[in-house]
Amino acid sequence: MSSIIKVNTVQDTDGNNIINENANTITIGASGDTISIPAGATLANSGTASGFGLEFQSVQTTGFTASAGKAYPCNTTSSAFTATLPASPSVGDQVLLMDYAGTWDTNNLTINPNGSNILGQSANAIASKDREAITVTFIDATQGWLPSSGYQEGTPGLSLPYTINYLVIAGGGGGGDRNGGGGGAGGFISASSTVSAGTAYTVTVGAGGAKNDNDGTVSSLGSIVSATGGGAGSHDEPASAANTGGSGGGGGGGEGGSAATNGAAGTPGQGNAGGNGSNTNGYANRVGGGGGGAGAVGAAATSGNSSGVAGAGGAGSASSISGSSVTYAGGGGGGCQVDTGTASGGAGGSGGGGTGALYQNGPNTIQNSTAGGANTGGGGGGGARQIGSQPSSGYTAQSGGSGVVIISYSGAQRGTGGSVTSSGGNTIHTFTSSGTYTG
């Protein structure tokens, strides 16, 4: 037997409404009440539900602080801005952020976790995929906010800053002519930094300096780091001092009765000084000093009444950032002119330093100079004196080598730009010419 109770309102013993019907609207509970669905029960909807889920807000165009349970279309057309998540969130709190105009790839949306973690870290996250819509849910204090829907699997639209290792080598300095000094190596800087996902960093690869007074040019990685170009080696007629640089240029041996010159200083933390030039025997034996290298000073030249030995370029420094050990930024060897006796042009420093030239007048011996190695930042070799009608092309000074920028980080590829390889679980981006690295 079934029973029917006909009432408009059901109240508890204190007179508070439990169920109330007014026309076609049925209200369960009163303001401030909690409606609990017991374990094992199912709340089924066979009609239309409204008032549940996230509440959409107006389009945001500048930085704002979000509230739990709300959805925010974010328009970054004019500029990037920051969405700050709620402070002191509760487990299960949700916020939806969506790319209103398809511009997050060019003007990123930064998501500030506001004292909590996001993706397990306390750093800001970056939303950088166009037409993305991300719902973040607060899980616990350890992981904090995690994407729970709308997240582009395989091409994550939400990324955290990450650490890169980098090697930045500037262009090497040019060698000096006429018993000149070797060019100094380009500045060598190896360190680490944090980069932001989706941010573009301009990469500049410095050129090597041409012979005679021309320094190498700067290599840089955005505003993170800048390496100084190598200093030019000294030359004579007209006389010119060696230049300072990442590593300093070598001093010259003098010419036409002029005295030898000293090597120039390098930049602390990037390279070393060049070696001094030398001359003796009424200036008949004139020899240039080696350019400084990243790992050692350039050697000083030595000369006597019947000898002249040009200074070797300073040794470079090795780096394994590319996956194997490679030496960069060697100084250029000095040039040498000796009438008779023992003579040698300066050897290039390991790491791309160019060889210095030799002209020995008595036996008419010539040793050709060489340029600094491409993409090593090596200094150019110094030149020897040109005498009479002897050919000059083989023993003039040479230019410095171009620089290089290499970026490495752990794991799968995250950034773009340069030539991309992998080794030992690291992704490596090598720039042999200027370009852009995008995190």
Side-chain angles (χ1 to χ4, degrees):
M1 165 178 177
S2 61
S3 298
I4 298 176
I5 300 175
K6 294 184 178 182
V7 293
N8 289 329
T9 302
V10 177
Q11 297 183 336
D12 62 16
T13 56
D14 295 324
N16 300 311
N17 288 356
I18 298 174
I19 301 175
N20 174 261
E21 179 183 18
N22 183 4
N24 292 325
T25 300
I26 298 174
T27 302
I28 301 175
S31 178
D33 288 352
T34 298
I35 309 300
S36 177
I37 307 299
T42 300
L43 184 63
N45 174 32
S46 298
T48 300
S50 63
F52 293 92
L54 300 174
E55 179 184 351
F56 273 80
Q57 306 300 298
S58 60
V59 176
Q60 309 295 308
T61 57
T62 59
F64 67 97
T65 298
S67 297
K70 296 185 178 180
Y72 297 90
C74 298
N75 183 359
T76 63
T77 298
S78 297
S79 64
F81 59 86
T82 298
T84 302
L85 297 177
S88 303
S90 299
V91 173
D93 281 354
Q94 291 187 318
V95 173
L96 186 147
L97 303 167
M98 64 167 53
D99 184 1
Y100 171 83
T103 54
W104 286 4
D105 56 342
T106 53
N107 289 327
N108 302 156
L109 180 72
T110 298
I111 304 174
N112 181 348
N114 201 6
S116 299
N117 284 346
I118 185 167
L119 293 170
Q121 297 186 36
S122 59
N124 290 349
I126 304 297
S128 59
K129 298 294 183 181
D130 65 323
R131 295 302 182 189
E132 180 68 281
I134 302 171
T135 300
V136 290
T137 302
F138 186 77
I139 303 302
D140 57 25
T142 301
Q143 290 298 316
W145 298 89
L146 294 178
S148 56
S149 66
Y151 189 56
Q152 294 188 22
E153 184 177 359
T155 56
L158 188 63
S159 303
L160 292 168
Y162 58 98
T163 299
I164 62 167
N165 298 310
Y166 59 79
L167 175 67
V168 177
I169 308 291
D177 256 337
R178 304 181 72 84
N179 319 313
F188 177 112
I189 303 178
S190 179
S192 61
S193 181
T194 298
V195 297
S196 297
T199 299
Y201 299 86
T202 299
V203 175
T204 301
V205 175
K211 70 173 186 176
N212 295 339
D213 299 326
N214 292 292
D215 301 333
T217 58
V218 167
S219 289
S220 61
L221 172 56
S223 61
I224 296 172
V225 63
S226 179
T228 304
S234 171
H235 68 88
D236 209 343
E237 290 190 0
S240 174
N243 291 348
T244 61
S247 283
E255 175 65 33
S258 62
T261 58
N262 292 333
T267 300
Q270 298 189 33
N272 291 282
N276 297 338
S278 178
N279 63 37
T280 56
N281 194 20
Y283 306 113
N285 299 332
R286 310 171 185 89
V287 283
V297 299
T302 59
S303 62
N305 289 333
S306 60
S307 66
V309 178
S317 292
S319 170
S320 296
I321 192 170
S322 63
S324 59
S325 181
V326 178
T327 301
Y328 303 88
C336 175
Q337 186 264 314
V338 172
D339 281 352
T340 60
T342 303
S344 65
S350 58
T355 300
L358 166 66
Y359 181 79
Q360 192 171 16
N361 193 22
N364 195 28
T365 301
I366 293 174
Q367 171 182 295
N368 292 344
S369 56
T370 60
N375 299 124
T376 67
R385 181 188 179 211
Q386 303 171 27
I387 298 177
S389 61
Q390 295 295 330
S392 61
S393 60
Y395 52 95
T396 59
Q398 300 291 330
S399 61
S402 56
V404 69
V405 175
I406 304 176
I407 296 167
S408 175
Y409 50 85
S410 178
Q413 183 176 346
R414 303 182 68 171
T416 59
S419 174
V420 183
T421 57
S422 61
S423 177
N426 295 324
T427 299
I428 302 157
H429 298 253
T430 301
F431 291 84
T432 55
S433 60
S434 298
T436 301
Y437 177 76
T438 302

